[in-house]
Structure formats: structure tokens, C-alpha cells
Amino acid sequence: MGLLEPITHKEEVESLLNEAQSMYDNAKNKFESQKKQTTKSLENLGKVKVNAWADGMDTFVTAFDTFKNVEMDRKIETNMNFIGSDEEPKQMLMNIQNASMTANEVAKAGFAALGTGALVGIASYGGAMMFGTASTGTAIAALSGAAKTNATLAWFGGGAKAAGGLGMTGGKLVLAGVVVAPIVAVAAVIAGAKGKEKLAEAKKIHSEAEEAVSQMNVVTTGMEGIAKMSDNYSNFIKKLNKKFAPFLQELDRIKKSHPVDEDGMINFNSLSVVEQKTLHVSWLMAQIYYHVLSTPILNSKGEVAIEASEALSASTKRLKQIKKDTYKMVNEDAQVGNIIWKPEANKMLIINFFAVGIMITLGCLSMDTSVLKGILLILCGVVAFPIFFKFRNLPASRLYTWRLVRLIGSIVIAITVATLL
């Protein structure tokens, strides 16, 4: 046994070190891959937020600011409360204006000039970062020209950290791999121990490798959560932007169709009821936009903030409530509901026509084997036909519903025909 012991130890040492190396490499590769993916997700969210502030929100606040005496806390329907938080409407509008102006400067400077770290900061910290002040104490939005651009870039480049906020610190800490810096030394230790025959040292290194792998897996899992939340926010903001855009167009139309007074303003009370309701719904949409853009997704530790999930859930719920309440609008009010439901009805129109084409094609192909089956499938196409000549003036929400009902009905009938014949 004594003669074989060194050989046994050599094999065991080699096995332990190889296993430690393999564990470490796998964990490190997963970490690096997730770091790239998470960085990409945060960069994308940063760009989405900047574009949302600089485009949609800027357009809204410019148009909305033209109207005076707007009753922003008025309810127009049972469930439509136009104060979305404890924040005063005037302060919210001011924040929107400041953030939009700052975002415009960022967009003009270009994302390349801003850099990855700053985009991560914008994504993680939210819109509040854009409400801040320059190092001089002057509000960034109050500056102009080159001074504003420089102050904006300085703010996103590290000003947030100096101000004591999260800024990009949390996300950068994780994404730059600072947390894993001490773990990297393990790889060198493993490599340095190869060729040696000390079993106790090999066991110690194996244990250290397991600990390093455990820590990397924790960070990798954390980054997966950050990437998922970032993607969820990006998708929701894009979805909301599509529903908000028609309201911006309608606000612009209303603004152009009314004369301004000596102050260049339009009195809210001079608008029709439909136009007033349009302003109110657009204001509610803007509130949802504001909250989802300004909520931080990371906390001071670089972890996904609880508030982020809550804000996204609340914003999704509020958007559904708007759709639900505008769906109920009839008569003149339906003009307001149509702003949201017309795009939905048009999408359903395209889907129905596509279904009609498929049903007729299947019916024609089935004629060779069963004339009855072919005729029934063609009739299914007629059922799915989405245009109602007799009810052309239905609200868009009802058109959407009837098209959906006819689509489902035709599919059910087609499946039944295909099964029985």
C-alpha cells in the first residue's frame, strides 16, 4: 500500500483539480454569457426609455401644455381615476417636461457618445435620473446648448453616483464582474496546483472552486432576473407607445382645430365633451407611461427592485382598465374609444380576411373528395367575412368583438366539418 499511495494520490489530485477546473469553467462561461445578455437587455431598455421620453412624452407634454383650465383630477367614467399616484399632477407634468428635454439632449448626442454604462444607468435608475440637476445645482432642463449636452452626459457618466443615487452603480457592479473579481483568482490557483501531488491542497482548491462556482451561479441567476425584468419593461413600453401614439395624433388635431387666446393657450372649457374626454384619457395614458418610465428596476445592491415588478403589474392593470372602460363607450363617446379600439379592430380585420382566404382555399381543394365538405368550408369563409355593410357605424370596439366572434365561429365550424366529413 505504501508504494501505491503516491500513485493513488496523484490520480486523486489530478481528478480533483480537473473536476474543479471543469466546474469553474462551466460556471464562468455561463456567467460571461449571461453578463453579455443582461448588458444587452439593459442597453436596449435604456434606448427604449430615452426614445420614449424624447418622442412620445415630449410630444404629449408639448400638446397638453397648450390647453389651460384642464380638470386633471376629474373622473369621466366610474373606474377612470386620473390621479395615478400621490404625486401632484403639476409636479408630474414638470417632471415629464424636464425628463423629455433631457432625453432630447441625450438623443441628439447619440447613444454611442453616451456609452454602455450610462445606458445601463438610465435603464436601471428610471426617469428620476432625468429630473436631476447638473453639478452646479442648476436643473439640466434649464440649461441650453452645449452646456446642457455636457451636463447631461456628465450626469449619466457618473453624476448620479456623486448625488448618492443608484445611477448605474448597481448594474455596473454586477455587469462589470466586480463581484467575481476575487473568484477569478481561483482559476490561477487551480492551474498552479496542477502537476503537484498534495492531496490536502487539491481538496482545499476543490472546495474553493465549489464556493467560487456557487457565488458565480448566484450572480448569474441575479443577472437573469435583471435581463428578464429589462425585457419585460422594454416590451411593455413599446406596446404602450403604440397605443399612446393615436392619442398624440388626436391631441395635435384638436389643438389645430381651435383658436388660441392672447396667451397662445386653448381653454379646456371651449372644447367639446368628446375632446375633453380625449384629453383626459390621454392624460391617464401619460400617467401610466410616466410611472413605468420613472420606476427604477434595480435597488442600491444591484438587484431587481420590488417596486419594479409592482409598477409593471400596476401599469399593465391600468392599461387594461382603460381598454375596458373605453370599450363601454357608445354614441358620441365612442369616438374616444375608437382611438384605442380602431387599431385593434383593423388588426382583427386583417386576420379575418386571412382566415377567409384559407377557408375558401381549403373548400376548393376539398371539392375533389367531398363536394359537401368543400361547400361547407367555403361557407365558413363567408362566416369569417369581417365587413358588416349594414352596421358600418358600429364603434370600433364592437367591430373588434363581432370580427372575433365570427372568426372563432368559422374556425369551430371548420374543425367540426373536417372531423365529421
Side-chain angles (χ1 to χ4, degrees), residues 236 288 291-292 310-320:
F236 181 80
I288 298 174
H291 289 300
V292 81
E310 292 174 347
L312 190 58
S313 176
S315 296
T316 302
K317 186 177 179 181
R318 286 173 187 151
L319 183 58
K320 286 181 179 178

Side-chain angles (χ1 to χ4, degrees), residues 80-212:
M80 299 177 82
N81 190 343
F82 292 91
I83 299 298
S85 72
D86 294 332
E87 195 167 358
E88 286 293 325
K90 289 183 180 179
Q91 182 60 49
M92 193 184 297
L93 281 171
M94 189 180 297
N95 285 342
I96 291 173
Q97 189 173 39
N98 288 344
S100 298
M101 291 173 72
T102 303
N104 270 311
E105 294 303 320
V106 171
K108 287 176 185 176
F111 293 124
L114 202 59
T116 298
L119 284 171
V120 168
I122 295 170
S124 63
Y125 194 63
M129 196 174 191
M130 297 185 176
F131 309 152
T133 58
S135 57
T136 59
T138 305
I140 292 174
L143 299 174
S144 61
K148 180 185 286 187
T149 301
N150 292 337
T152 301
L153 295 178
W155 173 259
F156 288 121
K161 183 177 180 181
L166 167 64
M168 59 188 174
T169 308
K172 190 176 181 181
L173 183 68
V174 175
L175 298 176
V178 176
V179 178
V180 188
I183 299 172
V184 177
V186 173
V189 172
I190 295 172
K194 288 185 176 179
K196 297 181 181 179
E197 299 179 7
K198 294 181 180 179
L199 182 59
E201 184 179 346
K203 287 181 177 180
K204 181 184 176 184
I205 291 171
H206 189 276
S207 177
E208 290 175 351
E210 285 182 324
E211 178 63 23

Side-chain angles (χ1 to χ4, degrees), residues 321-399:
Q321 188 64 58
I322 291 177
K323 290 186 69 175
K324 182 179 178 181
D325 287 330
T326 52
Y327 182 89
K328 299 174 185 176
M329 290 178 169
V330 294
N331 301 323
E332 280 193 344
D333 289 355
Q335 296 175 49
V336 182
N338 287 348
I339 299 173
I340 283 185
W341 285 101
K342 190 173 181 180
E344 300 285 339
N346 287 340
K347 278 192 284 186
M348 191 56 64
L349 177 75
I350 294 170
I351 293 171
N352 278 55
F353 270 126
F354 186 68
V356 169
I358 291 176
M359 300 291 182
I360 292 175
T361 302
L362 290 175
C364 293
L365 292 174
S366 300
M367 287 291 189
D368 292 337
T369 55
S370 173
V371 175
L372 177 61
K373 183 177 180 180
I375 292 173
L376 289 174
L377 285 173
I378 291 173
L379 287 175
C380 285
V382 175
V383 172
F385 192 72
I387 298 176
F388 314 103
F389 296 106
K390 189 176 179 181
F391 306 106
R392 286 194 300 268
N393 296 323
L394 281 176
S397 58
R398 304 304 189 272
L399 285 174

Side-chain angles (χ1 to χ4, degrees), residues 37-60:
Q37 184 179 333
T38 304
T39 301
K40 185 177 180 181
S41 293
L42 282 168
E43 280 185 322
N44 181 55
L45 177 57
K47 292 175 182 178
V48 167
K49 281 189 171 185
V50 169
N51 288 331
W53 283 116
D55 187 12
M57 291 301 266
D58 183 58
T59 303
F60 166 76

